[in-house]
Amino acid sequence: MTDTAASARPPVAARDPRPRRHHGDEFADPYEWMRAKDDARVTAHLEAENAYTDARTAHLEPLREQIFQEIKGRTRETDLSVPTRRGDWWYFSRTVEGQQYGIHCRAPIADPTNWTPPEPTEGETLPGEQVLLDGNLEADGEEFFSLGTFEVSNDARLLLYGVDTDGDERYTLRVRNLDTGETLPDVIDGTFAGASLSPDGRFIVYSTVDDAWRPDTVWLHELGTPTASDQKLFHEPDEKYWVGAGFTRSDRFLVIGLGSSITSEEWLVPADDLRAEPRVVWPRQEGVEYDSEHAIVDGEDVLYILHNDGALDFELVRVPASDPRASREIVIAHQPGQRLLGVSTFRDWGVVGYRRDGIARIGMLDYATSDVREIAFDEPLYSVGTAGNPEWAPPLLRLGYGSFVTPSTVYDYDPATGDLQLRKQQPVLGGYDAADYAQARVWATAHDGVRIPISLVWKRSFGEMGENPRPVHLYGYGSYEHSIEPAFSIARLSELDRGVVFAVAHVRGGGEMGRQWYEDGKLLAKRNTFTDFVDCARHLVDGGYTTPATLVAEGGSAGGLLMGAVANLAPELFAGIVADVPFVDALTTILDPSLPLTVIEWDEWGDPLHDPEVYAYMKSYSPYENVRDGVAYPRILAVTSFNDTRVLYVEPAKWVARLRDVGADALLKCEMVAGHGGVSGRYNAWRERAFELAWLLDVLDLA
């Protein structure tokens, strides 16, 4: 650290205690005043925090620039995605060196019988290529740009797209005539992501949000008519449920889906009669989740429904679409330990996603026999899923594949032969060789005897794991049954090539090991998430993989809650902690039903507003309220966004102020025009990651 950085003084946040009283407990919150987003004091404080962070990290600017150039230098900046066939066109996107955003294009199909996508060389365009939307032109003059909807009509004449220029995940929908380039007068403001054009191209189906920013209403807009006359297709008054809608791949039905964390319900509307009354598939039943897909088997419209009614890890059944509550034909029976994740239906076969032994897998479903043929891969750790399959009757299935050491790869799978046809692997410039790196899985033992998987990736030239202590970057999440997959990262190479081992602690609360894994890390079992992470860190230290002086932890959003909790539980185990958009003032947020997402979140965390046991339990782990005096905290970097609607900026701002009260070395970086996903634009994102990695390497004494 330079003398200038060492002499920089942190902002001192004003203490203005606001009492909070629940269930006989009173908490005087000194920094709750920061929640007033429009208060000039708040903006001034955040700007002062940014200035302090800039001063404290100024000495890392050369390293940040070096890492940014490494990311940039390994990336083919001018590139083309693998074209996806839909109708009479190949659809794809381009990136161009020096430009932040993708350019969405299409080219006509020359031979309808040929499903092999074209492969133009760098700088070439395809015959008849047409630019549909250039993100760089759309973003001109904006500090933030994000697409929430991008869809072409079945007749290939119209483009529906939705743009967010603030980062608050509220999109303005527009329609472009692709024959003339004209933008139609139909403009719909304030929509949620994921709008759709009807199969006949006459209507837009979109969702809007309530005052708590919960998607609660589905609308039908007829092109060429005023938005004031849009028809309300569905409204969900229960604050626990989100609502969305989309068309089946077969184009036979509009599916209106609503769900909480533990309960779901779907309604069908005939795609050729969108003003008809929606018809429920299965009435909601507390604790039962399901998802339906339409297929045609032996000439009959059927629904394949994945559900957990009496099946913890889910089962797959088939029912008549005309009477979904009729007798269920079991297609894939419940198998404890094999978590069924989803089903996609096509005209001739289905695709089933499932997780076994902590690895996501893909299998082909035979409609006639209900047999599932797994698509096999050789690596011990990998991730795979379907991607880019809009057609109802394709002869090939598009897959995305990768691992910690294998760059993102696109395959076309031939169900008739079982062959995988390589279409493209993410280019990694600069002589990357996967053989120079290794990945493995080890197991830690938790306090209650449960074995917790830890995934590791490292560069072989620094020695094999366990030979000597190494710097380790330990990542964790552990909420919402979300699994951290073994995925490749170009940016990660900048730390691996400096000798850092990247590790993922697959703690309870995630979904890596099945539904019970999730259940054992939520509600009144949430502490397992935090203690699992601590036990994983201890395993790496006790096993000689690393030392507390060379161990840095990272997590974002709900994983940021994990970071705040482990900082309080075991500060001695970590040299530093990176917390991205961290949910560190959890109790305050979950107590306020007027805030975005709060009521929905009660299924995940519990309801502390009405349940004193939940209140006491959450108060026992909420990071902000459990910062302790007399503790030597690790160095902490908290990164947030002013316009984040999922985890408000106020949470990390309050947390950092409280950490400073007890002498912790904590930095706050607040993006003033961004949302939950951070800054927009690929170069901006690379610089943001370079900032975090430079700080991390500085903590590990590798700067």
Side-chain angles (χ1 to χ4, degrees), residues 246-294:
F247 291 92
T248 59
R249 184 178 280 106
S250 64
D251 283 339
R252 294 288 285 270
F253 297 102
L254 173 70
V255 181
I256 299 172
L258 54 148
S260 69
S261 295
I262 62 171
T263 306
S264 59
E265 184 177 72
E266 291 186 346
W267 298 71
L268 300 181
V269 182
D272 58 1
D273 186 13
L274 290 174
R275 299 189 189 279
E277 191 73 20
R279 178 168 54 90
V280 70
V281 176
W282 289 351
R284 72 188 72 175
Q285 181 180 339
E286 187 75 8
V288 173
E289 302 165 62
Y290 72 88
D291 178 63
S292 66
E293 292 281 333
H294 171 251

Side-chain angles (χ1 to χ4, degrees), residues 105-266:
C105 308
R106 70 179 179 183
I109 291 172
D111 179 1
T113 66
N114 183 10
W115 282 76
T116 301
E119 299 181 60
T121 58
E122 184 176 336
E124 275 191 346
T125 58
L126 298 176
E129 183 172 326
Q130 176 186 11
V131 174
L132 305 181
L133 185 143
D134 185 336
N136 304 285
L137 296 178
E138 299 293 331
D140 187 36
E142 304 289 350
E143 293 186 63
F144 184 91
F145 173 80
S146 176
L147 278 176
T149 293
F150 184 89
E151 182 176 300
V152 176
S153 60
N154 282 357
D155 65 7
R157 292 183 56 252
L158 301 176
L159 169 67
L160 172 68
Y161 63 103
V163 172
D164 167 21
T165 56
D166 294 317
D168 61 2
E169 300 181 64
R170 300 298 170 263
Y171 300 87
T172 297
L173 290 175
R174 291 183 173 85
V175 182
R176 181 171 296 168
N177 185 316
L178 296 177
D179 292 335
T180 66
E182 170 195 12
T183 299
L184 303 188
D186 305 79
V187 177
I188 309 174
D189 292 315
T191 71
F192 199 64
S196 298
L197 284 164
S198 61
D200 60 10
R202 289 180 53 205
F203 299 94
I204 299 172
V205 177
Y206 66 95
S207 302
T208 56
V209 301
D210 63 11
D211 291 339
W213 292 30
R214 170 185 69 98
D216 70 330
T217 306
V218 177
W219 299 87
L220 183 68
H221 171 76
E222 185 171 5
L223 291 176
T225 67
T227 56
S229 63
D230 289 358
Q231 178 182 339
K232 185 185 295 185
L233 288 182
F234 193 93
H235 174 71
E236 176 52 53
D238 192 327
E239 294 176 311
K240 292 191 300 183
Y241 292 88
W242 280 32
V243 179
F247 291 92
T248 59
R249 184 178 280 106
S250 64
D251 283 339
R252 294 288 285 270
F253 297 102
L254 173 70
V255 181
I256 299 172
L258 54 148
S260 69
S261 295
I262 62 171
T263 306
S264 59
E265 184 177 72
E266 291 186 346

Side-chain angles (χ1 to χ4, degrees), residues 6 90 130 334:
W90 292 109
Q130 176 186 11
H334 174 243

Side-chain angles (χ1 to χ4, degrees), residues 172-484:
T172 297
L173 290 175
R174 291 183 173 85
V175 182
R176 181 171 296 168
N177 185 316
L178 296 177
D179 292 335
T180 66
E182 170 195 12
T183 299
L184 303 188
D186 305 79
V187 177
I188 309 174
D189 292 315
T191 71
F192 199 64
S196 298
L197 284 164
S198 61
D200 60 10
R202 289 180 53 205
F203 299 94
I204 299 172
V205 177
Y206 66 95
S207 302
T208 56
V209 301
D210 63 11
D211 291 339
W213 292 30
R214 170 185 69 98
D216 70 330
T217 306
V218 177
W219 299 87
L220 183 68
H221 171 76
E222 185 171 5
L223 291 176
T225 67
T227 56
S229 63
D230 289 358
Q231 178 182 339
K232 185 185 295 185
L233 288 182
F234 193 93
H235 174 71
E236 176 52 53
D238 192 327
E239 294 176 311
K240 292 191 300 183
Y241 292 88
W242 280 32
V243 179
F247 291 92
T248 59
R249 184 178 280 106
S250 64
D251 283 339
R252 294 288 285 270
F253 297 102
L254 173 70
V255 181
I256 299 172
L258 54 148
S260 69
S261 295
I262 62 171
T263 306
S264 59
E265 184 177 72
E266 291 186 346
W267 298 71
L268 300 181
V269 182
D272 58 1
D273 186 13
L274 290 174
R275 299 189 189 279
E277 191 73 20
R279 178 168 54 90
V280 70
V281 176
W282 289 351
R284 72 188 72 175
Q285 181 180 339
E286 187 75 8
V288 173
E289 302 165 62
Y290 72 88
D291 178 63
S292 66
E293 292 281 333
H294 171 251
I296 302 173
V297 178
D298 295 330
E300 180 186 6
D301 286 315
V302 300
L303 298 176
Y304 281 87
I305 302 180
L306 194 74
H307 73 92
N308 68 338
D309 186 7
L312 181 66
D313 281 318
F314 289 70
E315 74 174 4
L316 182 65
V317 300
R318 188 166 71 191
V319 299
S322 60
D323 185 10
R325 282 173 273 180
S327 177
R328 306 174 183 179
E329 177 187 347
I330 295 177
V331 177
I332 302 177
H334 174 243
Q335 301 176 48
Q338 177 170 286
R339 169 69 162 93
L340 295 181
L341 300 173
V343 60
S344 296
T345 52
F346 298 82
R347 186 190 66 184
D348 300 320
W349 27 258
V351 183
V352 181
Y354 48 99
R355 187 177 296 280
R356 188 177 66 246
D357 300 327
I359 301 295
R361 304 166 193 272
I362 290 287
M364 301 301 300
L365 172 65
D366 187 309
Y367 289 152
T369 65
S370 295
D371 290 338
V372 175
R373 183 175 73 243
E374 185 170 306
I375 303 174
F377 297 92
D378 294 333
E379 292 185 275
L381 299 177
Y382 65 85
S383 57
V384 65
T386 58
N389 294 283
E391 286 286 289
W392 172 234
L396 304 173
L397 176 70
R398 178 68 52 85
L399 298 176
Y401 174 87
S403 75
F404 285 125
V405 300
T406 300
S408 299
T409 305
V410 176
Y411 289 109
D412 277 344
Y413 176 78
D414 188 340
T417 65
D419 291 337
L420 279 170
Q421 301 169 12
L422 175 65
R423 297 307 188 198
K424 184 173 184 176
Q425 187 168 87
Q426 176 187 11
V428 184
L429 307 182
Y432 174 78
D433 186 348
D436 293 339
Y437 302 83
Q439 60 178 349
R441 178 162 286 177
V442 298
W443 298 80
T445 301
H447 68 283
D448 55 359
V450 172
R451 298 176 73 233
I452 313 297
I454 307 172
S455 296
L456 304 166
V457 57
W458 68 95
K459 192 169 187 179
R460 294 182 186 276
S461 61
F462 290 93
E464 293 305 307
M465 289 305 302
E467 288 184 353
N468 50 66
R470 301 266 299 280
V472 170
H473 174 189
L474 182 62
Y475 187 87
Y477 188 77
S479 292
Y480 304 108
E481 204 179 1
H482 176 68
S483 299
I484 305 299

Side-chain angles (χ1 to χ4, degrees), residues 482-503:
H482 176 68
S483 299
I484 305 299
E485 304 290 1
F488 186 80
S489 165
I490 282 182
R492 188 185 300 138
L493 295 177
S494 290
E495 53 179 327
L496 299 183
D497 287 354
R498 289 173 170 83
V500 178
V501 177
F502 181 76

